[in-house]
């Protein structure tokens, strides 16, 4: 049985389950019920959180991950995770960015400084906008009140979401799917278009047909031919649900002179 406390608060209570190799397991529950806390336990990310106490064990191929001989770096290479929002280590931005390169042997401070400078500039000029087809998923994730989701669904409202400062933010809304595409294109225009020196990505959750209008618009209006098209998960900072689609790109303010 796995139990976890944040100080006096018990966040995980008597968790016991087996997950087989290559199995897909979904953890479903309301916001704040402990899903992320449990996931962070699987590669000991909770070790970095002050005041955490854990009882029980977690075994990976029969090996107790809490054993003293367990190498954390090796564990985290084998058990990785992607969170629904930015989840940095409790250290400086500089140390978060350089953590990976340092693990792989990069020690030259000038090289690390240059990497941090580039990443900072890239982040400042990176844009992503996605349209949500069904409001019920934003409601289930606690992003919308139930009444707003129902009314918006009846009116065919399609919100646009983006990520600002590591958090999900509303970037606009439109009526119907055609309106959602138009709103998406306007966002691209507001940012001054797409920087052709860097790759751009059109993402879809269910069918590649969802991004066909994006491909057509970029080809005919911005002469953008080499657009990457990829299927993405339904979690885009929040659970956006099937039918979500959008675009990620660097704006034209970004240059290679770094």
């Amino acid at each position: 049985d796995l139990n976890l406390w944040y100080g006096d608060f018990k966040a995980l209570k008597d968790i016991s389950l087996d997950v087989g190799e290559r199995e897909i397991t979904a953890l479903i529950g309301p916001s704040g019920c402990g899903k992320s806390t449990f996931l962070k336990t699987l590669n000991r990310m909770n070790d970095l959180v002050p005041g955490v106490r854990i009882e029980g064990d977690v075994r990976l191929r029969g090996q107790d991950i809490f054993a003293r001989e367990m190498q954390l770096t090796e564990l985290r290479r084998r058990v990785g995770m992607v969170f629904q929002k930015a989840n940095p280590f409790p250290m400086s931005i500089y140390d978060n960015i350089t953590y990976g390169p340092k693990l792989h042997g990069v020690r030259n401070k000038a090289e690390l400084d240059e990497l941090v400078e580039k990443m900072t500039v890239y982040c400042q000029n990176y844009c992503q906008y996605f349209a949500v087809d069904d409001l019920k998923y934003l409601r289930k994730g606690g992003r919308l009140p139930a009444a707003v989701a129902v009314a918006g669904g009846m009116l065919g409202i399609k919100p646009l979401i983006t990520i600002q400062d590591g958090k999900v933010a509303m970037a606009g809304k439109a009526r119907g799917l055609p309106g959602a595409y138009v709103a998406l294109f306007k966002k691209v225009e507001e940012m001054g278009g797409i920087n052709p020196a860097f790759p751009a990505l059109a993402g879809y959750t269910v069918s590649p047909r969802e991004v066909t209008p994006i491909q057509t618009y970029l080809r005919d209006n911005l002469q953008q031919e080499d657009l990457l098209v990829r299927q993405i998960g339904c979690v885009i900072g929040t659970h956006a649900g099937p039918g979500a689609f959008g675009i990620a790109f660097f704006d034209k303010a970004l240059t290679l002179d770094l």
Side-chain angles (χ1 to χ4, degrees):
D1 291 343
L2 180 68
N3 296 275
L4 181 145
W5 289 261
Y6 292 117
D8 295 330
F9 175 70
K10 192 172 186 179
L12 298 180
K13 304 174 184 179
D14 303 324
I15 305 296
S16 295
L17 77 158
D18 296 318
V19 179
E21 185 175 3
R22 299 182 183 276
E23 286 185 356
I24 297 175
T25 302
L27 303 178
I28 301 172
S31 178
C33 73
K35 302 184 298 296
S36 294
T37 295
F38 172 69
L39 290 175
K40 288 190 292 184
T41 303
L42 302 182
N43 69 352
R44 293 182 55 178
M45 291 285 289
N46 285 317
D47 288 14
L48 302 170
V49 180
V52 165
R53 177 168 61 91
I54 298 174
E55 293 181 359
D57 62 357
V58 176
R59 296 188 175 273
L60 177 64
R61 296 184 180 275
Q63 185 178 8
D64 183 4
I65 69 169
F66 298 118
R68 289 186 177 182
E69 60 271 20
M70 173 60 69
Q71 298 294 318
L72 288 183
T73 300
E74 180 59 28
L75 171 65
R76 290 167 183 160
R77 284 196 179 109
R78 298 171 64 189
V79 184
M81 59 189 64
V82 178
F83 295 97
Q84 68 173 357
K85 63 180 181 180
N87 197 64
F89 293 116
M91 57 181 72
S92 68
I93 294 175
Y94 183 98
D95 289 333
N96 268 276
I97 294 174
T98 58
Y99 185 79
K102 286 178 179 178
L103 280 180
H104 289 276
V106 179
R107 294 289 182 267
N108 185 285
K109 188 176 186 304
E111 187 176 348
L112 294 172
D113 288 347
E114 182 183 10
L115 172 64
V116 172
E117 181 184 0
K118 286 184 176 181
M119 289 300 298
T120 302
V121 174
Y122 287 161
C123 289
Q124 291 172 345
N125 294 275
Y126 178 71
C127 310
Q128 56 182 340
Y129 298 100
F130 286 84
V132 177
D133 184 44
D134 195 329
L135 297 180
K136 72 178 181 182
Y137 297 99
L138 294 181
R139 176 182 61 79
K140 289 180 178 180
R143 303 285 177 180
L144 285 179
V148 173
V150 171
M154 294 174 64
L155 294 172
I157 299 298
K158 311 296 180 184
L160 295 185
I161 61 174
T162 187
I163 306 295
Q164 292 180 351
D165 299 323
K167 298 180 180 179
V168 176
M170 291 295 177
K173 60 184 178 180
R175 292 282 295 271
L177 279 178
Y181 285 108
V182 172
L184 202 63
F185 303 154
K186 286 184 178 179
K187 284 296 177 182
V188 174
E189 294 170 359
E190 288 174 9
M191 299 307 299
I194 296 175
N195 193 325
F198 297 89
L201 169 73
Y204 64 92
T205 54
V206 177
S207 169
R209 292 193 299 271
E210 294 165 358
V211 297
T212 299
I214 299 175
Q215 291 175 289
T216 302
Y217 168 80
L218 295 181
R219 182 185 64 244
D220 295 347
N221 294 275
L222 301 180
Q223 291 72 53
Q224 185 86 22
E225 297 284 354
D226 53 347
L227 182 69
L228 299 175
V229 176
R230 297 289 187 272
Q231 185 172 21
I232 57 177
C234 292
V235 176
I236 309 165
T238 185
H239 187 18
F245 58 87
I247 186 169
F249 60 95
F250 291 99
D251 64 34
K252 291 186 176 180
L254 181 59
T255 68
L256 292 170
D257 297 329
L258 297 174

